[in-house]
Amino acid sequence: MINERTLILVKPDGVRRSLIGEIIARVEAKGYSIVAVKMMSADRALLTRHYAEHEGKPFFEPLVEFMMSGPIVAIVAQGNRVIEGFRNIAGTTDPTLAAAGTIRGDLARDQGTKVTQNLVHGSDSPESAAREISIFFPELV
Ligand code: DAT
Ligand code: MG
């Protein structure tokens, strides 16, 4: 799709480690456009909507607590195949196994916590992207 959009989140671990610039730089260096950026504190209601697919899983409550542990940065990036492309430069969920050269592979590791801390979120499909952008950027929809 021309001008496809995705939702990226720099999670609290990324903000705490001062990696906002590094993460945005990688998205821009790949060639995608940043069309919106917002630093915010996500509350439980917003995170429960965002992570609805994970409700009931053992890591759900730790995930919500972690995502409320500090500010996050919500980003909308745009470009052909950006959904797939950002997932590729983010790397796989488990940072121990994420490929070198990816955000998670280069910059994150296992912290021994109940929820995997892996610096970033990226939408996984066009449907997820539309839903998640409307949650974090209702003003864009
Ligand atoms: P991703 O963020 O790669 O799309 P996901 O949507 O399956 O992964 O899960 C959301 C987040 O929850 C993920 O970034 C880290 C955490 N998580 C996922 N699976 C987990 C597990 N089995 N144990 C602990 N945390 C997990
Ligand atoms: Mg996911």
Side-chain angles (χ1 to χ4, degrees), residues 51 53-54 87 121-122 124:
Y51 282 123
E53 65 172 309
H54 297 306
R87 298 274 296 185
H121 166 83
D124 64 7

Side-chain angles (χ1 to χ4, degrees), residues 26-95:
R26 286 176 180 229
V27 175
E28 289 191 312
K30 180 77 173 169
Y32 300 122
S33 304
I34 303 296
V35 299
V37 180
K38 183 191 289 180
M39 190 166 201
M40 61 187 293
S41 295
D43 64 16
R44 180 174 294 275
L46 184 141
L47 292 166
T48 300
R49 282 178 71 201
H50 175 65
Y51 282 123
E53 65 172 309
H54 297 306
E55 228 175 333
K57 295 181 185 173
F59 61 84
F60 179 75
E61 182 58 27
L63 176 60
V64 171
E65 292 285 339
F66 166 58
M67 292 297 290
M68 293 193 301
S69 69
I72 63 173
V73 178
I75 299 159
V76 177
Q78 180 170 297
N80 295 343
R81 300 178 69 193
V82 67
I83 295 170
E84 188 183 7
F86 179 73
R87 298 274 296 185
N88 191 40
I89 62 173
T92 52
T93 307
D94 179 348

